[in-house]
Each structure stands twice: as C-alpha cells, then as structure tokens.
Amino acid sequence: MSRTSQPSPSLRADQSDGAAEADIRPLMSAFPSGVSVITTIGTDSEPRGMTCSSLASVALSPPTIVLCLRTQSPTVRAVLETGQVAVNLLHENARPVSDLFASGAADRFARTEWRLPLGAGGPHLAAAAHAVADGEVVEAVEFGDHTAVFVRVTRVSLHDGQEPLLYGKRRYARWTDATAVPGPPAAAPPLPAIPAPASAAPSATSTPSVTSAPSAPSATSPAPAVKETARVRP
C-alpha cells in the first residue's frame, strides 16, 4: 500500500486571494447514489465502521474501487493501518443501520448483526447488506478534509432477493419504489345517460290532425275552365 499525504502543487487549491470556497454539498446531494457501510478490524482487534455514499469503480482489471472518506474518522485510520476493508452495500430496508453508522455511536456494532467470515476485510453486516466486497488497500491520497482510498477487490458476495437503498437530495429512497412500473391509467367514468327527447307520437287521448289529399272533382261539380291557346298557322 502506498500513501500520499499531500496533494501535488498543481492540484492544491489556491486560497491566497481570500476568495470564498464554493459549497458543493447541494451539487452532490443532487447526484443520488447507493449507501454503504465501510468496515474493518483495527489493530486493537476492535471493529470499526462508517456510512459512506461516495464510492466508485476505478478499473475492472485489476478490480479496483475508490472510497472517499473523512480523513479524521477513526475508521479511516484503522483502514490505513491494517490495509483491509469490507464494503457493505445496504439494502432498501436498512436505513436504520445507515443512520446508526453515520451517528458516531460507540456501540454501533453491538446494535446491529455482523459476522467476520474467513478472509474478510472487515465485518459483514449480514442482516443489512445486499452485497459485500472485501478488499485490500493499494493506495490512499489525502486531499483537503477527505482521503481517497483505492481498494483492490478480492471477493464479492451477493445476497439475492434484496434491492439497494438509495440516497439523494438529503433523503432516502427504496429501489423498489423508485423503479416501480406505473399501472395502466384508470378507466374513465361512464358518461351520464342523456334522456331521450319527448316523443312526438300522439297520446291515446289526443286526436291527430289529418291532412287530406285534394279529392277529384265530382260529377256534379263544374268542370274546371280550360284556357285554350289558338295555334296560328304561319
């Protein structure tokens, strides 16, 4: 394991002009991620652990990830001293465990289930993790108030049937809820019946009016006058 305690001069932020530092917390809170608990066993044989949502894949070969951890954390010091670490990815029902390991409570390991399998880099939170990676620290770079810890993964354990816990915008979310497929839209309510118009048929008590066709002239009636037009021979 190699460790760089100070950033290179080209990367060191220049604050000599007194300019105020930008607050990147709102930016990073708008980038949702999974939630993990980083664990190890210290040189005093005591378990150490902290909540972490800042991790990423670095390379597939060799399989390497990077953890960005608060430098002053006792967990980070133990990780760097032993060179061993376990990354517990929490499942969607493990929010209380995330809060517990973010609280700094001294009895955190007494309040959650864990085990230490043979060859593990740190305690496995058996009841709270849907995946666990064991690894060895290969490099650490301290920058500002955090340390980037590069870990070569030696083993991955997956727990089927569990989905990830998510965190963003300063609140948690369940993977199952975030990826739920919406159901079909509700059927539109039936249109109200339109009453039929009043019938024009005559009622039984009314007498219909009848329009009679003109009758042919009777024998006694005078024949209609016929106007003749004389034909003039040319």
Side-chain angles (χ1 to χ4, degrees):
M1 177 188 71
S2 63
R3 179 175 181 180
T4 304
S5 60
Q6 294 294 332
S8 63
S10 60
L11 297 177
R12 188 176 296 116
D14 183 5
Q15 298 296 326
S16 59
D17 58 358
E21 292 182 329
D23 184 359
I24 66 171
R25 287 175 295 182
L27 171 69
M28 299 314 300
S29 72
F31 187 68
S33 67
V35 183
S36 71
V37 171
I38 309 304
T39 60
T40 192
I41 298 293
T43 55
D44 57 359
S45 299
E46 292 295 325
R48 300 281 190 274
M50 63 182 296
T51 300
C52 172
S53 61
S54 182
L55 63 90
S57 171
V58 174
L60 298 179
S61 181
T64 307
I65 61 176
V66 62
L67 315 172
C68 294
L69 309 174
R70 185 170 54 84
T71 301
Q72 297 303 317
S73 167
T75 299
V76 177
R77 292 197 296 270
V79 166
L80 297 180
E81 288 171 357
T82 65
Q84 301 291 319
V85 67
V87 180
N88 296 267
L89 303 185
L90 301 187
H91 62 63
E92 61 184 2
N93 296 317
R95 173 179 175 176
V97 174
S98 173
D99 290 337
L100 174 63
F101 278 82
S103 68
D107 61 345
R108 65 193 78 174
F109 282 96
R111 294 164 56 184
T112 189
E113 180 182 346
W114 64 278
R115 57 190 178 88
L116 190 64
L118 184 64
H124 287 198
L125 307 183
H130 70 89
V132 182
D134 294 298
E136 302 171 346
V137 177
V138 294
E139 187 172 353
V141 179
E142 185 178 332
F143 189 95
D145 54 4
H146 275 63
T147 297
V149 180
F150 293 84
V151 177
R152 183 174 67 84
V153 176
T154 57
R155 181 174 63 185
V156 174
S157 304
L158 301 178
H159 301 166
D160 294 334
Q162 299 285 1
E163 301 293 353
L165 178 66
L166 306 177
Y167 187 76
K169 290 287 187 179
R170 297 184 175 87
R171 59 181 181 268
Y172 293 96
R174 293 161 45 91
W175 177 272
T176 300
D177 298 334
T179 60
V181 178
L191 295 175
I194 300 176
S199 175
S203 65
T205 57
S206 62
T207 303
S209 59
V210 179
T211 302
S212 302
S215 59
S218 64
T220 57
S221 60
V226 178
K227 182 178 180 180
E228 297 184 352
T229 303
R231 301 181 68 183
V232 180
R233 179 179 298 177

Short mmCIF file of all heavy atoms in Angstrom, two decimals, residues 92 173-181:
data_model
loop_
_atom_site.label_atom_id
_atom_site.label_comp_id
_atom_site.label_asym_id
_atom_site.label_seq_id
_atom_site.Cartn_x
_atom_site.Cartn_y
_atom_site.Cartn_z
N GLU A 92 -32.59 -1.92 0.80
CA GLU A 92 -33.55 -0.82 0.92
C GLU A 92 -34.29 -0.76 2.26
O GLU A 92 -34.93 0.25 2.56
CB GLU A 92 -34.56 -0.90 -0.22
CG GLU A 92 -35.39 -2.16 -0.26
CD GLU A 92 -36.30 -2.23 -1.46
OE1 GLU A 92 -36.27 -1.29 -2.30
OE2 GLU A 92 -37.07 -3.20 -1.57
N ALA A 173 -34.44 6.71 -0.33
CA ALA A 173 -35.49 6.16 -1.20
C ALA A 173 -35.23 4.67 -1.36
O ALA A 173 -34.09 4.20 -1.27
CB ALA A 173 -35.50 6.85 -2.57
N ARG A 174 -36.30 3.93 -1.58
CA ARG A 174 -36.20 2.49 -1.81
C ARG A 174 -36.12 2.22 -3.31
O ARG A 174 -36.87 2.81 -4.09
CB ARG A 174 -37.42 1.77 -1.21
CG ARG A 174 -37.49 1.81 0.30
CD ARG A 174 -38.91 1.50 0.80
NE ARG A 174 -39.50 0.36 0.12
CZ ARG A 174 -39.40 -0.90 0.55
NH1 ARG A 174 -38.73 -1.15 1.68
NH2 ARG A 174 -39.96 -1.89 -0.11
N TRP A 175 -35.23 1.33 -3.69
CA TRP A 175 -35.08 0.98 -5.11
C TRP A 175 -36.40 0.46 -5.67
O TRP A 175 -36.80 0.79 -6.79
CB TRP A 175 -33.98 -0.06 -5.28
CG TRP A 175 -33.80 -0.54 -6.68
CD1 TRP A 175 -34.45 -1.58 -7.30
CD2 TRP A 175 -32.92 0.02 -7.68
NE1 TRP A 175 -34.02 -1.71 -8.60
CE2 TRP A 175 -33.08 -0.75 -8.86
CE3 TRP A 175 -32.01 1.07 -7.67
CZ2 TRP A 175 -32.37 -0.48 -10.02
CZ3 TRP A 175 -31.30 1.34 -8.83
CH2 TRP A 175 -31.49 0.57 -9.98
N THR A 176 -37.11 -0.35 -4.91
CA THR A 176 -38.38 -0.92 -5.37
C THR A 176 -39.38 0.18 -5.71
O THR A 176 -40.08 0.12 -6.73
CB THR A 176 -38.97 -1.84 -4.29
OG1 THR A 176 -38.05 -2.91 -4.04
CG2 THR A 176 -40.29 -2.44 -4.76
N ASP A 177 -39.44 1.22 -4.87
CA ASP A 177 -40.37 2.31 -5.13
C ASP A 177 -39.91 3.16 -6.31
O ASP A 177 -40.72 3.60 -7.13
CB ASP A 177 -40.52 3.19 -3.89
CG ASP A 177 -41.09 2.44 -2.70
OD1 ASP A 177 -41.82 1.44 -2.94
OD2 ASP A 177 -40.82 2.82 -1.55
N ALA A 178 -38.59 3.40 -6.38
CA ALA A 178 -38.07 4.28 -7.44
C ALA A 178 -38.20 3.66 -8.82
O ALA A 178 -38.28 4.38 -9.82
CB ALA A 178 -36.61 4.63 -7.16
N THR A 179 -38.21 2.34 -8.90
CA THR A 179 -38.24 1.68 -10.21
C THR A 179 -39.57 1.01 -10.48
O THR A 179 -39.70 0.26 -11.46
CB THR A 179 -37.13 0.62 -10.30
OG1 THR A 179 -37.32 -0.36 -9.27
CG2 THR A 179 -35.76 1.26 -10.15
N ALA A 180 -40.57 1.28 -9.66
CA ALA A 180 -41.88 0.65 -9.86
C ALA A 180 -42.48 1.10 -11.19
O ALA A 180 -42.42 2.29 -11.55
CB ALA A 180 -42.81 1.01 -8.71
N VAL A 181 -43.04 0.17 -11.93
CA VAL A 181 -43.69 0.48 -13.20
C VAL A 181 -45.10 0.95 -12.92
O VAL A 181 -45.88 0.23 -12.27
CB VAL A 181 -43.71 -0.75 -14.13
CG1 VAL A 181 -44.43 -0.42 -15.43
CG2 VAL A 181 -42.29 -1.23 -14.39
#
